[in-house]
Amino acid sequence: MNILAVNNLSKKFKDKVAVNDISFSLQEGEILGLLGPNGAGKTTTLQMLLGVLTPTTGLIKYFGKDLGENRTEILEEVNFSSTYTKLPWRLSVKENLTFISYLYQIKNRQSRIKEIVKIFKIEQLINMPMTDLSAGQLTRVNLAKAFINYPKILLLDEPTASLDPDVATYIRDFLLEERKKFNVSIIITSHNMAEVEEVCDRVIFINNGKIIANDTPVGLAKTIEISHVELLVKDGLKRTEEFCQKQSYAYKIDGRYIVVDVKEREIAQFLRDLMNKGVYYDEISINKPTLEDYFLQMTRKI
Amino acid sequence: MRIHRIYAVILRFMYLFRRSYDRISDAFYWPTIDLMLWGLTSVYFRSYMPDASKVILIIMSGILFWIIIWRGQYEITVNLLEDLWNENLINMFVSPLKFGEWIVAFLFIGVIKAFMSFSFALLMAYLLYKVNILFFGWNFIPIIALLIMTGWAVGFFVAGLILRFGTKVQTFAWTIVALISPFSALYYPVSILPTWAQTVAKFIPASYIFEEIREIIATGKVDPNKFYISLTLNCIYLVLSLLFLRNSFDKVLNKGLVKVY
């Protein structure tokens, strides 16, 4: 079931088209990644989805209802967290969560706040003013704020930026768990491609305000033909380098290691050619293309 | 309109008030300074004019009732600025909070703070000069209501300007209300103003109230017409300033709430 439907959405700022006629949908329980280089239109899209930026044209429907006409009703079921927005800095964590819980009319307010601070491991920070928190702690408080109203749809802008790797992993697991338990639908923007690959069911790639790809992370990565062949060369590094130059393969050398970008279907022939040239290697690893490779290829094209 | 959301906004500002020594001192410091400065000045003048027994009362009333206008507008504009300084506007409006609820919360905060500052100043006036203005009795209600309406109208207008132009015009939050004070005739009758200023004063709702206050002090009589004129002007200005604020908010939504700072 489509829980969010975006149709022909555009946003124009004076002469600049920030978002250009995009359409997509979000299914119940789906985690959707919104990717693209800086200035591609991701944040503008998120702002329009949140109702804090008026679209020039287009329609946004949550639960089958138009956002413009049913803003209040819709936003009771939606929440948002961004590393780049702040909560009132003189207030303590508890005061912030308390006034926000009133905004969403949370039942059993105190117990919900206790529960949410435990989930995001911010019990020790509860009485501290926001000014005293580190970047990672602020991110966790922002996430706690985003989950406080049991949202059906979450919009997360860089949810794990500034977090330590262990906490980031914990948050990713938590997102997956929430989806499993409550069928929460999530839209994520992130620059961490491994994270997007891990949590997102589908990825939309935006550039210059247009959607240029809409597929699963694996599907997008598959469109990249190039694999990275990494060899620890025992004998013949110079010959390998000359061969790569001759065949126009992109490569990088680090000590005795060489990493060569080879089309997946040409790997076998490439290795045979090296053997014929008397190249011997002790280690080999073949890294299949990832979402990051897709992202890099798309952004290089731009 | 939902009370819990209005309460949330009020709660957010009350938390902030409790934690901000500058905001606490704002509420009590300036009324005390004004009372001391003008109170002592009027005591000094009275020593030259023993017949002018009501000088202190007139000056004190001007100071005390001006607090109502000042706090009414100040709370609207400074609380908006607090949200801009904290980059919190987006957090408020990604929630189900409605524009109208946000405004009503500002009005409540203005009333609460005006009551706090006014009560404090009343007590100070009594302790310092034995001045008691409670003799206004029931007239307090229209006087205070009409003055706070003037404060709100100025506050909404300034808030609209701040939303349009951002914090680079934040000084308006402290200065614009002062612009109407000479024409409000706080301490003197409108008739002593130059002719052009008297014309301006006719369009200032507070001028009718301060004239009325002096009339009550001098004669004990009330002229309801002055209240009616003030009410009419206040209603017109409130509607216009709210429309201006709403229009400014819509313009902000066109460029994005996160871009207001």
Side-chain angles (χ1 to χ4, degrees):
Chain A
M1 178 199 163
N2 272 357
I3 201 160
L4 166 68
V6 175
N7 291 310
N8 308 107
L9 193 67
S10 294
K11 181 67 193 177
K12 199 175 171 185
F13 294 106
K14 290 182 182 165
D15 297 333
K16 189 181 181 293
V17 180
V19 172
N20 191 356
D21 196 29
I22 64 170
S23 299
F24 63 91
S25 61
L26 178 71
Q27 306 292 304
E28 198 173 355
E30 185 182 27
I31 302 183
L32 174 69
L34 217 52
L35 295 186
N38 292 331
K42 305 183 297 285
T43 306
T44 306
T45 305
L46 274 191
Q47 284 182 46
M48 288 192 281
L49 294 182
L50 288 162
V52 292
L53 177 66
T54 311
T56 307
T57 55
L59 205 60
I60 299 168
K61 279 188 173 180
Y62 287 89
F63 320 110
K65 292 173 184 168
D66 179 49
L67 175 64
E69 288 166 12
N70 304 277
R71 182 190 161 274
T72 303
E73 188 188 337
I74 288 168
L75 290 180
E76 277 169 359
E77 310 284 356
V78 178
N79 212 324
F80 162 74
S81 166
S82 169
T83 310
Y84 309 108
T85 60
K86 294 168 189 167
L87 289 164
W89 52 274
R90 283 194 211 174
L91 269 56
S92 70
V93 172
K94 189 177 183 183
E95 286 168 343
N96 268 306
L97 293 177
T98 303
F99 98 77
I100 287 163
S101 69
Y102 275 102
L103 278 177
Y104 290 94
Q105 202 177 16
I106 308 297
K107 286 174 189 155
N108 303 320
R109 195 169 297 110
Q110 291 310 319
S111 63
R112 178 58 178 162
I113 291 173
K114 266 187 196 166
E115 182 187 20
I116 207 85
V117 297
K118 199 172 168 192
I119 290 169
F120 289 96
K121 301 181 175 179
I122 50 175
E123 300 108 306
Q124 306 298 319
L125 317 174
I126 191 83
N127 292 314
M128 283 168 71
M130 301 296 282
T131 35
D132 291 357
L133 305 187
S134 69
Q137 289 168 337
L138 287 171
T139 302
R140 277 186 283 156
V141 174
N142 266 321
L143 283 166
K145 171 248 160 200
F147 274 93
I148 201 158
N149 62 326
Y150 308 95
K152 286 185 181 156
I153 301 182
L154 259 174
L155 306 178
L156 304 176
D157 190 12
E158 304 267 350
T160 57
S162 340
L163 293 180
D164 291 332
D166 59 329
V167 182
T169 304
Y170 173 79
I171 298 294
R172 280 194 287 273
D173 292 345
F174 173 74
L175 292 179
L176 292 169
E177 191 62 27
E178 282 292 291
R179 184 262 291 272
K180 202 167 144 190
K181 275 201 280 191
F182 302 110
N183 225 12
V184 180
S185 308
I186 304 174
I187 295 182
I188 287 184
T189 73
S190 176
H191 283 106
N192 182 341
M193 296 301 133
E195 174 175 278
V196 173
E197 265 186 310
E198 186 187 334
V199 300
C200 292
D201 304 307
R202 191 160 55 95
V203 170
I204 285 176
F205 195 94
I206 298 183
N207 186 43
N208 288 330
K210 277 186 170 284
I211 293 177
I212 55 173
N214 182 350
D215 203 344
T216 60
V218 175
L220 288 181
K222 268 188 181 168
T223 63
I224 305 289
E225 292 180 308
I226 304 291
S227 291
H228 309 296
V229 180
E230 186 177 2
L231 303 168
L232 172 58
V233 181
K234 188 178 174 188
D235 183 24
L237 184 61
K238 184 82 184 157
R239 287 194 296 281
T240 309
E241 193 179 358
E242 283 167 1
F243 176 69
C244 289
Q245 281 168 357
K246 201 174 163 189
Q247 297 296 320
S248 304
Y249 287 128
Y251 66 94
K252 267 189 291 189
I253 293 179
D254 182 11
R256 302 292 306 165
Y257 281 95
I258 184 165
V259 181
V260 188
D261 292 350
V262 185
K263 283 184 181 169
E264 215 167 356
R265 62 176 185 275
E266 294 174 5
I267 292 173
Q269 183 61 48
F270 169 74
L271 294 175
R272 260 198 307 275
D273 289 342
L274 287 186
M275 208 161 64
N276 292 338
K277 292 194 175 296
V279 174
Y280 292 94
Y281 40 87
D282 284 340
E283 286 174 23
I284 179 168
S285 63
I286 298 168
N287 299 318
K288 292 209 160 199
T290 61
L291 192 60
E292 184 153 0
D293 294 309
Y294 177 82
F295 186 90
L296 288 173
Q297 178 169 306
M298 296 313 288
T299 47
R300 273 178 199 145
K301 272 185 192 172
I302 294 159
Chain B
M1 203 160 284
R2 291 293 171 90
I3 288 173
H4 64 88
R5 292 195 289 259
I6 295 169
Y7 180 69
V9 182
I10 295 172
L11 192 63
R12 172 241 186 286
F13 287 110
M14 292 323 254
Y15 284 145
L16 184 74
F17 183 68
R18 203 172 64 185
R19 288 184 173 273
S20 310
Y21 296 122
D22 49 343
R23 303 295 303 282
I24 296 170
S25 64
D26 257 2
F28 304 112
Y29 176 78
W30 291 114
T32 309
I33 293 294
D34 280 345
L35 279 170
M36 288 184 71
L37 194 66
W38 289 101
L40 290 170
T41 308
S42 51
V43 167
Y44 173 67
F45 283 150
R46 200 174 57 173
S47 66
Y48 283 97
M49 301 177 287
D51 295 342
S53 59
K54 288 175 177 163
V55 167
I56 290 191
L57 198 52
I58 288 172
I59 300 278
M60 287 295 120
S61 301
I63 294 169
L64 291 170
F65 285 115
W66 181 252
I67 290 171
I68 305 286
I69 297 184
W70 168 60
R71 287 237 71 98
Q73 82 84 34
Y74 183 88
E75 289 308 322
I76 292 171
T77 50
V78 174
N79 286 329
L80 167 66
L81 281 172
E82 285 283 357
D83 271 336
L84 297 184
W85 293 328
N86 283 278
E87 297 172 40
N88 186 48
L89 215 49
I90 190 161
N91 282 317
M92 303 303 281
F93 285 100
V94 298
S95 81
L97 180 71
K98 288 180 182 172
F99 177 80
E101 292 162 347
W102 188 52
I103 295 300
V104 169
F106 279 3
L107 299 184
F108 268 106
I109 297 159
V111 170
I112 295 166
K113 299 278 191 72
F115 177 76
M116 282 166 61
S117 293
F118 187 67
S119 309
F120 173 75
L122 273 184
L123 182 68
M124 290 299 289
Y126 182 74
L127 293 177
L128 292 173
Y129 309 106
K130 297 281 177 266
V131 167
N132 185 351
I133 61 162
L134 295 176
F135 66 86
F136 282 102
W138 289 107
N139 292 314
F140 255 121
I141 296 171
I143 289 172
I144 288 178
L146 292 165
L147 290 178
I148 206 158
M149 280 171 83
T150 306
W152 288 343
V154 177
F156 290 142
F157 174 67
V158 178
L161 290 175
I162 291 171
L163 278 176
R164 276 168 192 250
F165 302 108
T167 50
K168 58 179 175 279
V169 297
Q170 65 184 12
T171 186
F172 287 167
W174 296 275
T175 54
I176 281 202
V177 74
L179 202 64
I180 66 162
S181 62
F183 307 102
S184 299
L186 268 70
Y187 311 119
Y188 42 79
V190 170
S191 56
I192 71 151
L193 290 170
T195 316
W196 67 268
Q198 285 187 36
T199 311
V200 176
K202 279 183 187 166
F203 294 96
I204 307 289
S207 70
Y208 297 92
I209 301 302
F210 285 106
E211 290 274 81
E212 184 79 352
I213 287 168
R214 278 188 297 277
E215 184 77 20
I216 296 171
I217 291 172
T219 65
K221 287 179 185 166
V222 179
D223 174 9
N225 282 333
K226 288 199 176 78
F227 285 147
Y228 296 144
I229 297 170
S230 179
L231 178 65
T232 308
L233 285 174
N234 269 323
C235 288
I236 293 168
Y237 293 150
L238 260 179
V239 169
L240 289 176
S241 61
L242 272 170
L243 288 173
F244 177 69
L245 179 61
R246 178 72 233 193
N247 183 264
S248 301
F249 191 74
D250 289 342
K251 277 193 184 298
V252 164
L253 285 180
N254 261 323
K255 62 178 179 178
L257 270 190
V258 287
K259 291 193 178 165
V260 196
Y261 47 80

